[in-house]
Amino acid sequence: PGISTLIAKGVYDAAFPLHDVSVSHEVLFEEWAKYSAFYKYQPIDLVRKYFGEKIGLYFAWLGVYTQLLIPASIVGIIVFGYGVATVDTNIPSLEMCDERLNFTMCPLCDGACDYWHLSTACGTARASHLFDNPATVFFAIFMSLWAVLFLEQWKRRQISLSFSWDLTGIEEDEEHPRPKYETILLEKRQRKRQQKKKKKKKKNELTWKDRLPGYFMNISSILFMFGLTFSAVFGVIVYRITISALMAMSPDPETKSNVRVTVTATAVIINLVVILILDEIYGAVALWLTELEIPKTETNFEERLILKAFLLKFMNAYAPIFYVAFFKGRFAGRPGSYVYVFNDYRMEECAPGGCLIELCIQLSIIMLGKQLIQNNIFEIGIPKLKKLIHALKEKETTQKEKDEERPPKQWNLDYALAPFEGLTPEYMEMIIQFGFVSLFVASFPLAPLFALLNNVIEIRLDARKFVTELRRPVTARAKDIGIWYNILSGMGKLSVIINAFVISFTSDFVPRLVYQYMYSQTGTMHGFIDHTLSFFNVSNFKPGTAPHSSDQGDITVCRYKDYREPPWSSDAYQFSKQYWSVLSARLAFVILFQNLVMFLSLMVAWVIPDVPKTIVEQLKREKKLLVDLFLQEEKEKFQLIQSLFVKPNSQSPTAGQFWTSLCPESLGSRLLGNNRFAGGVDF
Amino acid sequence: PGISTLIAKGVYDAAFPLHDVSVSHEVLFEEWAKYSAFYKYQPIDLVRKYFGEKIGLYFAWLGVYTQLLIPASIVGIIVFGYGVATVDTNIPSLEMCDERLNFTMCPLCDGACDYWHLSTACGTARASHLFDNPATVFFAIFMSLWAVLFLEQWKRRQISLSFSWDLTGIEEDEEHPRPKYETILLEKRQRKRQQKKKKKKKKNELTWKDRLPGYFMNISSILFMFGLTFSAVFGVIVYRITISALMAMSPDPETKSNVRVTVTATAVIINLVVILILDEIYGAVALWLTELEIPKTETNFEERLILKAFLLKFMNAYAPIFYVAFFKGRFAGRPGSYVYVFNDYRMEECAPGGCLIELCIQLSIIMLGKQLIQNNIFEIGIPKLKKLIHALKEKETTQKEKDEERPPKQWNLDYALAPFEGLTPEYMEMIIQFGFVSLFVASFPLAPLFALLNNVIEIRLDARKFVTELRRPVTARAKDIGIWYNILSGMGKLSVIINAFVISFTSDFVPRLVYQYMYSQTGTMHGFIDHTLSFFNVSNFKPGTAPHSSDQGDITVCRYKDYREPPWSSDAYQFSKQYWSVLSARLAFVILFQNLVMFLSLMVAWVIPDVPKTIVEQLKREKKLLVDLFLQEEKEKFQLIQSLFVKPNSQSPTAGQFWTSLCPESLGSRLLGNNRFAGGVDF
């Protein structure tokens, strides 16, 4: 029972290495943790020396990621710039804004809403073009390859680091079981002993039977959490539907005109708040669930915790975005046959400019909001607050002791700091951000830029936290970033298919191509808007759903965005041939995009060698030296034996010096797999 | 300049290790190379001992592959059995055979051909169902996962072998350059020296400038070979088109009725012959091209050769199959607007039963033919023939020496054998076979069975060749099967997308599903055949293309297999809505299938650990022993030093024994990376 067991049992309160308030701490603060050092490379070797390999690797990884965000941001800005530059020459948005074309659209709600002109949605059409243009397709391909490149680059960096930090030989040693595991095992053994020793084999392990309740609890809780996330998303949808219906019924014209903006903005903010709250809850739940599973070792514990926390937080952060990208507006029905929820409220549709602009708004607000609030409140605000409270408390108690006038001891100072709680939250934050940068990047090319700006601050923020606000962590060795690499690589793979679907189904890229090359009479985009709008005969409105009063005069036919047969066709309002041909083109695009990008990714991963050339050469040289040394040693041993037998009395003082060359320290430690003690993981 | 240089320069004729005609050779022959041993596991350790690691690994790989073909064959037989069992209850094929339905089909050729009844194609429809049924979809998924499983299984086996064969530590040492490379380098250096030493830096390497002609020749030759392959395929197409047209015009009714069978059979046989001939040519061309590139080392040479040969042979073997699977019948046009080649001949269509049955025929004939002919002629026949010729020649020369009556020396016996020419042809044959088993398995579920039957023989055939018909190869070490693993893994990936396309585009699986769930009135398959046939008004035939005379009475409308608008529609003969909806469904199926299978493959690869558990434990134990030994040694050294200094005169005879324990041989060799001499790669 080491000190960790004693802490677990409450015998001790805490155990931590003291901060080394000397040169290295000072240098770290000056060169690394100051905001003014944001443009400098991190002193990774120093970080590793002070905090250990595990934390060193985290900061090295963060550095590589941030560095690679720079080219991605630049390309993203160029793509966005292309959208801005072409917005005035883009025919579809010009057509939407053209008042002469005068498309009369079907009302957006039952009864209370009037027919409206498409040209009033000019703004969103123009905004939509900023993010939905051919350059976006290129950018999506670029970012998928970027993700592969990032992983490859990190592999190389990791290998360089593990070489220069002497990690190449280390392997996971047999770990000690966690105190909790041991306690439960002990209980079980005692229980068994009391059962009159019926069975012979007393296993020294917990079996699946002991863990069954834990597993059961796990699965049901995770399903419950998923349900919670989905209900939160659904709740926000209901909020949006009801509020827009209510506001549309309001007599005030001011209110009416702002419906969409107000509803979208408030709904996204609600989403954001829900995400932030659930994020904290899910973190705690994942911890609790992992404890229930009683993993045997600390590594095991960490891995399970990470997987669970990632799954929950990923769902939480991305569920509303997935909804907007792939489901919103797909189940709204058509005029005369809308889909209703709770019998009264029509399902929501996308904005007239397309769903992509809504996805873009959703994505940017959640991403920025999450980063700003998490950075400012959770990482700066709350620690400051805690410190303040602590300081106030201290004041009372120290008031009495003040008279003694002793300078505070380092352990008292460090005890006042917050305990180090693992790197999981730090990694998690970055991984979720990586998702914003890769998964839906087709809809928001500025995401890498915002991620870059955030990370430049984040590095210094984390550094400052580690140097000044946390107790010095017990150093731990690690030869890689572990399961996070797998998660990153999985997200990279997922991003290919998601971006393919975003481009082909959420954006209007494919319908535009199909129109231009299959239906357009002139081979240009003129007439595209007309082509995408179907006709509806207002006499087919169900009773009570037609507008109560109309300013638009005598309307017989209104338009809506869909590919359906016109009222005068034999199978009126069925999906038209155009619908199916556009759908085919969309699906074909997904196949083409996915396979092209996967092929290019394989190429990129194949072209970049995992081990940098310099390291390969160095390893070769080292190996050669090692072999030479060994041969030398064998030879000298042999000579020594000979000398011992031939002239046993001629020992000279040089023998001592001789032995030193036989067991050079560096050789010994390298051969032994570098198992040197690295900072006392277990006291 | 070693012996290989001397052989390359023609100083020596050959250099080879002698066959060891003792116990191990005998045992190998009895236990391994006899056909009657086909059911036994191979004595891999003995093979490795006699032929070296590289050849041992090849046979181990072949063994794992053959073993894993057993479950694949069983599932394939079950899938085929399902087709056989359901052929009499399958509604589409029953409908096609039903004479009462009486579909009058449009003629198969211009002028000479008459209208015909669909029920006459009953046979192919029934045959088609054997391979094109829902079980095939399951089988395609199964085989994709099987391919992943095979690779994982091989990884495990390889690690076990490299552990028990002591290969874990070996790394590629600096190889010697090939003699050819050195010769050319020497020439270059001499040329440079003559050029008055203008430039200072004389590189000791060939640069890209020296290789440029080689590269250029390479690319152009490969492109030319690709062109050759494609023209061969196109030639066979033209043969098929013209012969069927000519035979259709023949007045003999016997000839007419057999058109399709005759043409298909002869065409496939021509394809097969072309493939076999080009295969040999391409093998030689790849060798020649690789020599032109002047690779530096033997490994480098082999890798480039394999890649090139694989590319060429893969194209050669699969081009006709790809054509039948994805292109045949897609560009035939429609009645009244057929596509013509050479102005006269209509492009060919698929058989009425669907393209899948043709793919199946093509695949089975090429696969079986290639295996039978290559095994029998190239691997048994030709060596036998060579031996015979050799024996005849020998007879003349030895006639004179016969009088001397000396028993022939082993080196003379071995010199009479064929030289060993590397494992590339052996691997290549198996890899191309792996392609038949994985790439198009959706169309031919019996492929694994035929592969299994072939391989059971192949192992013994190869073994016999190595033991009795080839000079004993110079043993070479290898820790894995090298680039072949990458090729296998690439084929596994490719097979997913190809099978997805075969199921969705070549087979009628998706149209049947769409009909059942979207168009069928009753929810059953009744009426499917009618649904897939479009109408054609015979008055729309172009002049001269209508049948000259008809036995079918007065025909006004004939049917053809396509989804097009009927003649009475406003846009007659355009693709109908059904066409686009079926196309969408086909594409959606591809996406679904590909992503599902990729996900499952990742799961399979993730679930199966690369290193078997027993090996992990053994490695741990070994490491612990090593560390203990080292500590022990250090301790003893220390004691020795002490004893030297404390009582220099007390040397006892035990010191010798003592030293032995200090440098145990196994420890030394393991630490030195097992660089022991393994059979003299370079004399």
Side-chain angles (χ1 to χ4, degrees), chain B residues 325-494:
Chain B
F326 301 125
F327 299 105
K328 190 174 180 185
R330 318 261 163 204
F331 307 108
R334 57 167 180 85
S337 159
Y338 282 114
V339 175
Y340 292 89
V341 281
F342 306 133
N343 292 324
D344 263 337
Y345 299 106
R346 255 166 64 177
M347 273 301 282
E348 53 183 352
E349 292 169 79
C350 282
C355 283
L356 197 81
I357 187 74
E358 296 209 15
L359 175 60
C360 182
I361 294 170
Q362 184 92 17
L363 200 64
S364 52
I365 293 186
I366 290 187
M367 180 179 169
L368 292 180
K370 205 161 175 295
Q371 287 186 346
L372 284 178
I373 294 176
Q374 273 185 342
N375 274 353
N376 286 329
I377 300 186
F378 291 98
E379 299 206 30
I380 304 183
I382 291 190
K384 281 260 159 76
L385 209 72
K386 275 188 185 165
K387 229 180 181 176
L388 203 74
I389 294 172
H390 198 268
L392 286 174
K393 265 190 192 166
E394 285 291 282
K395 224 181 224 172
E396 295 170 23
T397 51
T398 49
Q399 206 68 36
K400 307 160 198 167
E401 295 169 26
K402 215 176 184 178
D403 312 321
E404 299 172 32
E405 285 287 343
R406 276 195 303 184
K409 291 282 180 191
Q410 184 63 33
W411 48 86
N412 282 327
L413 286 177
D414 282 6
Y415 183 63
L417 298 175
F420 170 69
E421 279 169 347
L423 283 169
T424 307
E426 314 294 337
Y427 271 117
M428 189 70 73
E429 198 191 329
M430 284 298 115
I431 297 281
I432 296 287
Q433 189 205 67
F434 180 76
F436 286 113
V437 173
S438 62
L439 289 184
F440 288 94
V441 80
S443 66
F444 189 42
L446 294 179
L449 177 67
F450 288 116
L452 174 65
L453 293 178
N454 177 68
N455 285 10
V456 167
I457 301 168
E458 177 80 22
I459 292 179
R460 308 304 155 180
L461 201 71
D462 280 355
R464 187 178 278 258
K465 199 167 78 180
F466 275 90
V467 175
T468 64
E469 281 162 25
L470 293 182
R471 293 179 195 158
R472 187 172 175 185
V474 175
T475 53
R477 300 202 95 185
K479 61 176 179 184
D480 51 34
I481 59 171
I483 197 171
W484 295 111
Y485 184 85
N486 302 341
I487 290 179
L488 277 177
S489 140
M491 280 178 107
K493 289 208 176 84
L494 190 63

Side-chain angles (χ1 to χ4, degrees), chain B residues 47 75 77 108 125 193 217 220 244 289 344 411 450 521 620:
Chain B
V47 174
V75 177
I77 293 170
L108 291 170
R193 220 169 278 156
M217 197 66 196
S220 50
S244 21
L289 286 177
D344 263 337
W411 48 86
F450 288 116
Q521 304 290 332
K620 261 188 195 160

Side-chain angles (χ1 to χ4, degrees), chain B residues 203-246:
Chain B
K203 278 177 205 158
N204 239 345
E205 274 192 334
L206 293 184
T207 57
W208 63 270
K209 268 188 189 165
D210 303 298
R211 291 213 177 91
L212 198 63
Y215 283 140
F216 182 74
M217 197 66 196
N218 247 294
I219 291 170
S220 50
S221 305
I222 287 177
L223 287 181
F224 173 74
M225 295 293 138
F226 276 8
L228 195 64
T229 303
F230 288 132
S231 3
V233 173
F234 188 68
V236 175
I237 296 169
V238 171
Y239 163 81
R240 230 170 0 210
I241 293 174
T242 49
I243 296 294
S244 21
L246 291 176

